[in-house]
Amino acid sequence: MKSPVFETSLQSIHSISIPSDIAESFISQNHKRVVVQVKYQNKSVQFHAALQKRKELFSVMFSKKYQKQLGVFSNDYFQVQLLEDTSKYGVEMPEELEAVLQSDPEASEIFESFTAGKKRSLIYYVLGFKNSQTRIDKSLIITENIRLGIKDTRQLIKKL
């Protein structure tokens, strides 16, 4: 499933407007999470996001990082297309975390029992590191803490 390409602008400093008819076509098919493709002046970015509704207006979060990559400012209009998010977690799983979880079935089973939001939080945390070795190290800390029975996300990422 994908939307037609549409033109929009920043709705606030961290979000972009999504036309109601497009957002509702995804939500009616149970697709609250989407992949967003944004194009502006021969540059493009793609990211995962959740469709949000506030006061009858739909939007998705659009980070300053992506705005800077594209060179988008508050009064600019740009092209957007929404795609069905077919990823397992609503975000792409980093190879390092996936490998560590595969090597530890007990931690993997507990990880899978977490809420979708908690899983995404941990995935985003690992994705925040550019160095592959750091991602592995952080993944090992998370799995060790999972096996210790720690449930609090803030505690899961800390080395004991």
Side-chain angles (χ1 to χ4, degrees):
M1 174 177 198
K2 65 182 175 180
S3 75
V5 175
F6 57 93
E7 190 170 77
T8 192
S9 63
L10 292 171
Q11 180 175 349
S12 70
I13 61 170
H14 295 292
S15 65
I16 53 178
S17 301
I18 305 296
S20 294
D21 58 328
I22 291 174
E24 287 178 4
S25 71
F26 277 85
I27 290 171
S28 70
Q29 304 238 348
N30 245 5
H31 299 299
K32 186 175 182 201
R33 295 204 55 86
V34 294
V35 175
V36 183
Q37 292 180 335
V38 182
K39 294 180 183 173
Y40 180 71
Q41 295 183 344
N42 300 321
K43 295 179 188 172
S44 65
V45 295
Q46 181 172 303
F47 56 93
H48 295 261
L51 287 167
Q52 301 175 341
K53 185 177 184 180
R54 291 193 186 106
K55 298 182 182 176
E56 304 305 313
L57 299 174
F58 288 95
S59 65
V60 294
M61 298 305 290
F62 187 43
S63 72
K64 285 287 190 188
K65 172 182 137 184
Y66 294 132
Q67 292 175 40
K68 188 174 181 179
Q69 279 180 358
L70 294 174
V72 169
F73 294 99
S74 60
N75 55 348
D76 291 330
Y77 282 83
F78 41 87
Q79 304 294 313
V80 177
Q81 185 173 33
L82 303 183
L83 307 164
E84 176 183 347
D85 186 345
T86 58
S87 66
K88 181 176 180 179
Y89 301 107
V91 63
E92 294 303 322
M93 171 69 96
E95 291 176 25
E96 298 86 352
L97 179 57
E98 186 171 30
V100 170
L101 286 170
Q102 285 177 353
S103 71
D104 189 336
E106 179 187 352
S108 180
E109 186 178 325
I110 297 168
F111 178 83
E112 291 300 330
S113 74
F114 291 161
T115 64
K118 181 178 266 190
K119 288 185 254 189
R120 275 194 301 278
S121 291
L122 294 170
I123 291 168
Y124 278 123
Y125 172 74
V126 173
L127 284 171
F129 298 96
K130 293 183 181 183
N131 182 295
S132 183
Q133 186 59 52
T134 304
R135 286 182 179 197
I136 292 168
D137 294 343
K138 298 301 181 180
S139 298
L140 288 168
I141 290 168
I142 289 169
T143 55
E144 170 116 4
N145 289 339
I146 286 173
R147 271 190 277 105
L148 291 173
I150 296 171
K151 301 278 188 209
D152 184 319
T153 306
R154 291 171 297 191
Q155 297 302 315
L156 278 168
I157 62 175
K158 290 184 179 178
K159 186 170 180 145
L160 298 178

